[in-house]
Amino acid sequence: MIDAFVLGGVRTPVGRYGGSLSHLRTDDLLGQTMVAACERLGMPLERIEDITAGCVNPAHEGMGDIARWGALAAGFPDSVPAVTVNRFCASSLTGAINIAHAIRSGELDVGLAAGVESMSRSGWAQMKGEAPFSPRGPVLLLDTMWAGAGGPPNPTLLARNAYVEMIKTAQNVADRYGLTREEIDAFALRSHHRAAAARDAGRLALEIHPIEIGGTKKQPGRTFEHDEGIRGGTTAEQLARLPPQPNTTQMTAGNSYALSDGASAVLLASGTAAESLGIAPLARVVASATYALDPQYMGIAPAFAIAKALQRAQLSPTDIDIWEVHEAFAAQELGVLRELPHQLDGFEVPDDRLNPNGGAVAIGHPFGSSGTRYVLTLATELHLRQVRYGVLGVCVGSGQGVALVLENEVAA
């Protein structure tokens, strides 16, 4: 089997809902980021043999295959194919794994995996009636951001509450593991403080491709270069004062991810291709895994996927130097940490190895973009620390989990 390597990439700063990136078309945001990843590594656009791009909701712009439209709009040659992947929060991670599989099977030498989401620009959709052309009757107007670009609910799934709100699944996890509001808020605070420290030290800037924001009559042009959601000055007292969100008792705006906009892209290649291009890889793809469970507890699925991936990699959890686990909600993350010892023979993840640069609670979670952001973050961290193994895990709405193991061969 041929080895697949993560060469590097870029991500945009993550913008808040209605924030600095809200003026950019979703397909342009994606396309520009993919080009920026190639430019950073000196990769000719025509060398890309296939593109995958994760996007949960392209309903406003780039409808259909936003990966292809974004690539063409950004200047990729017509000869470069592209496909859009939707596995909710793990969309772009799944795309990266698909590219790695193609490389490992010998069907691909160089591929690009990317992701994008603009919650700010998610559109409205008018649902057709059952009659041909729907000439009469009420028209359902659907907010596609909350529907995941889907239509009216399936009665069977509705009856089993499969469409449960994500924030409610976090509350379900908190109840299942007996989490307190204090420890949930404490983890959220940890996320903000670590992300702020990484930003201030210039660590996050190593991944970020700044975005130029044009001027208006009221404001001059500027460079957008830092994640908008990080609140390094947040205190435990401030978090404690926030009220619970509807249908929950412990989930608040402070211990949950914020609505976000952003894009990310990473390049993957075979060792032979990387050598011919003169690019030193950041990490080797070792193994991956998926897992699925009851949608009511979707947040803990990464614990099971991570255990499967480590088993496939023939690694002990003690071999893992960095654990990058998606923080959709602080409670969901704590649930994963509570479940992992049950799946890993009692092993508990050391705090200093977990999400060293903070996570989505602070940075934000543009659904389609987060997966490849984590691939870039983990590969970069392995390289900077000169440590050998890292694992990442992402929970997925509908009750799934996806995991990936990477190796820094230089540290072997």
Side-chain angles (χ1 to χ4, degrees):
M1 184 172 62
I2 300 168
D3 281 327
F5 295 90
V6 178
L7 304 186
V10 300
R11 69 174 180 91
T12 68
V14 176
R16 292 182 69 86
Y17 185 81
S20 294
L21 295 179
S22 60
H23 70 291
L24 287 174
R25 286 180 58 98
T26 311
D27 46 6
D28 284 337
L29 183 62
L30 172 64
Q32 292 169 17
T33 305
M34 294 193 297
V35 168
C38 292
E39 290 178 342
R40 178 166 291 191
L41 290 170
M43 176 73 71
L45 300 186
E46 62 271 16
R47 283 298 303 269
I48 303 300
E49 298 170 44
D50 202 3
I51 293 173
T52 64
C55 187
V56 175
N57 184 9
H60 187 64
E61 294 144 346
M63 289 190 72
D65 190 355
I66 194 173
R68 175 65 170 170
W69 298 135
L72 289 176
F76 279 85
D78 292 353
S79 59
V80 177
V83 62
T84 302
V85 179
N86 185 354
R87 200 200 289 261
F88 296 123
C89 304
S91 295
S92 56
L93 174 57
T94 298
I97 291 170
N98 290 348
I99 292 287
H101 285 170
I103 292 170
R104 296 171 86 182
S105 70
E107 294 183 354
L108 201 67
D109 281 323
V110 180
L112 189 153
V116 67
E117 208 72 50
S118 179
M119 297 185 183
S120 296
R121 299 177 72 87
S122 294
W124 295 82
Q126 290 182 330
M127 296 294 104
K128 289 183 177 180
E130 294 182 5
F133 305 109
S134 300
R136 289 187 174 84
V139 176
L140 174 64
L141 192 63
L142 186 74
D143 181 348
T144 59
M145 184 177 75
W146 300 114
N154 184 301
T156 301
L157 298 178
L158 195 62
R160 62 165 294 184
N161 198 23
Y163 299 115
V164 57
E165 300 166 275
M166 292 301 97
I167 199 166
K168 177 59 174 156
T169 68
Q171 185 62 62
N172 291 344
V173 168
D175 294 341
R176 177 169 176 165
Y177 293 94
L179 304 176
T180 67
R181 170 69 184 272
E182 289 73 22
E183 61 186 324
I184 295 170
D185 283 352
F187 192 89
L189 191 66
R190 171 195 190 276
S191 184
H192 279 283
H193 285 178
R194 289 201 173 188
R199 175 198 61 200
D200 296 345
R203 167 62 186 85
L204 298 184
L206 298 177
E207 305 172 6
I208 289 175
H209 171 66
I211 303 295
E212 296 302 320
I213 308 295
T216 66
K217 290 183 179 180
K218 295 183 178 181
Q219 292 184 335
R222 61 188 175 91
T223 301
F224 177 45
E225 55 187 341
H226 296 299
D227 302 310
E228 287 184 313
I230 299 173
R231 297 289 182 264
T234 297
T235 66
E237 292 74 22
Q238 289 172 325
L239 291 177
R241 288 196 293 267
L242 295 174
Q245 293 292 295
N247 299 319
T248 76
T249 58
Q250 296 166 300
M251 305 303 108
T252 73
N255 59 38
S256 308
Y257 71 86
L259 303 182
S260 310
D261 306 331
S264 59
V266 294
L267 288 157
L268 297 99
S270 66
T272 301
E275 184 176 359
S276 70
L277 290 161
I279 301 173
L282 292 178
R284 180 178 72 91
V285 174
V286 181
S288 63
T290 56
Y291 190 85
L293 42 66
D294 186 340
Q296 295 288 323
Y297 300 96
M298 72 93 198
I300 60 171
F304 301 88
I306 287 171
K308 284 180 65 176
L310 292 180
Q311 183 178 28
R312 288 175 178 173
Q314 298 183 334
L315 293 173
S316 163
T318 58
D319 295 324
I320 302 302
D321 301 291
I322 303 169
W323 300 71
E324 192 69 37
V325 182
H326 176 45
E327 299 173 6
F329 305 90
Q332 163 266 321
E333 177 87 358
L334 289 171
V336 172
L337 296 176
R338 294 286 178 89
E339 182 59 42
L340 273 171
H342 298 294
Q343 305 304 318
L344 299 176
D345 297 324
F347 178 83
E348 296 186 3
V349 178
D351 185 71
D352 62 341
R353 297 188 179 190
L354 174 70
N355 296 3
N357 303 301
V361 167
I363 293 171
H365 174 33
F367 297 145
S369 172
S370 289
T372 37
R373 179 179 82 77
Y374 290 131
V375 174
L376 177 60
T377 294
L378 180 58
T380 302
E381 198 68 18
L382 289 171
H383 174 73
L384 290 174
R385 295 188 176 211
Q386 285 300 290
V387 292
R388 187 169 183 182
Y389 290 112
V391 65
L392 69 91
V394 177
C395 59
V396 179
S398 77
Q400 301 182 76
V402 182
L404 178 68
V405 180
L406 297 179
E407 180 189 16
N408 173 17
E409 289 191 315
V410 176

